[in-house]
Amino acid sequence: MAIMGDTLPGRSAAGGHHRQPIIAAAIELTAREGWSAVTMARLAEATGVSRQTVYNEVGSKTALAEAMVVHELDRFLAVVRDAFDRHPGDLVEAIYDAVRNVLELASDNVLLRAVATATHGADTELLPLLTTRADTLITEAKAILLRRVESYRPGLTADQIGVVVDALVRAVLSHVMQPSDTPARTADGLAWLAARVLDDRARTPLRYSGR
């Protein structure tokens, strides 16, 4: 069962039925040509609507950038929710699934790749926004994970659970930006580590022990 409040604060309003295609087109254009190439005219052409419709749906270019980033961060939080929903009786499997799915999503995230490789000119305009939103993402991801882990009643104090959750979230975000192994192997290692503290099956072996 989904837990209330598993959403990113400050999420933009849903808008009309053209809003999501416009945001998707902006993300694709940013990935392909850079943020400086994104104009209301090009988005109108890509989505088959008028420029006025684009303005009505997303407002300014700054508001569009905010909507793009929120859209992508919401996707990350959604896979975490889904992982725990799939394993209501197995905390370690839920953590494994959440970590693996987040890392797999990150490996194919066109917006994050585009921003990470932007090194000059107008493309860097997106970097401060991502930095600001990264703080929001950490806070919200920790809040979601804390509620989810507590629901399994792992036998630790709230402070102890908070320490484990903080470590997991920061480790995952580190691997999002600079992966050191495949999503599956990284998820396996972090799930094993969590099991040592959170779960009574602490001796469960790593899936990928033959590294």
Side-chain angles (χ1 to χ4, degrees), residues 5-211:
D6 287 3
T7 55
L8 188 68
R11 180 173 181 164
S12 302
H17 65 278
H18 296 298
R19 179 179 173 82
Q20 289 306 315
I22 290 170
I23 292 172
I27 292 172
E28 181 181 352
L29 187 56
T30 300
R32 190 173 66 244
E33 300 182 34
W35 178 236
S36 61
V38 177
T39 66
M40 299 306 182
R42 294 193 68 178
L43 293 178
E45 180 182 0
T47 55
V49 300
S50 68
R51 280 194 296 173
Q52 188 58 51
T53 297
V54 175
Y55 279 109
N56 291 343
E57 292 285 6
V58 299
S60 66
K61 192 173 178 182
T62 299
L64 171 61
E66 172 81 6
M68 290 164 57
V69 173
V70 169
H71 177 271
E72 294 301 275
L73 298 187
D74 275 350
R75 293 176 64 204
F76 281 92
L77 297 180
V79 300
V80 173
R81 295 194 302 269
D82 292 345
F84 279 86
D85 287 344
R86 283 194 300 272
H87 301 285
D90 193 326
L91 176 56
V92 174
E93 282 301 312
I95 291 172
Y96 171 83
D97 240 13
V99 173
R100 179 171 183 168
N101 291 344
V102 164
L103 295 179
E104 287 177 345
L105 178 60
S107 68
D108 194 36
N109 188 282
V110 292
L111 178 60
L112 287 185
R113 283 207 316 271
V115 173
T117 57
T119 57
H120 65 279
D123 290 346
T124 58
E125 291 175 6
L126 276 176
L127 294 176
L129 180 59
L130 274 185
T131 300
T132 300
R133 273 300 180 180
D135 293 337
T136 303
L137 176 63
I138 291 173
T139 299
E140 183 64 9
K142 285 167 60 176
I144 289 174
L145 197 56
L146 187 63
R147 289 193 296 269
R148 294 291 182 145
V149 172
E150 286 178 339
S151 72
Y152 289 79
R153 303 183 182 279
L156 302 176
T157 68
D159 287 343
Q160 290 170 333
I161 295 174
V163 170
V164 176
V165 165
D166 183 73
L168 281 173
V169 169
R170 293 181 185 279
V172 170
L173 290 178
S174 175
H175 283 284
V176 164
M177 300 311 298
Q178 190 174 11
S180 60
D181 210 330
T182 65
R185 288 182 181 275
T186 301
D188 189 31
L190 291 178
W192 172 83
L193 189 63
R196 303 288 296 184
V197 180
L198 295 173
D199 194 88
D200 60 4
R201 292 167 300 162
R203 294 184 178 84
T204 300
L206 288 166
R207 290 176 174 82
Y208 303 99
S209 57
R211 301 191 185 191

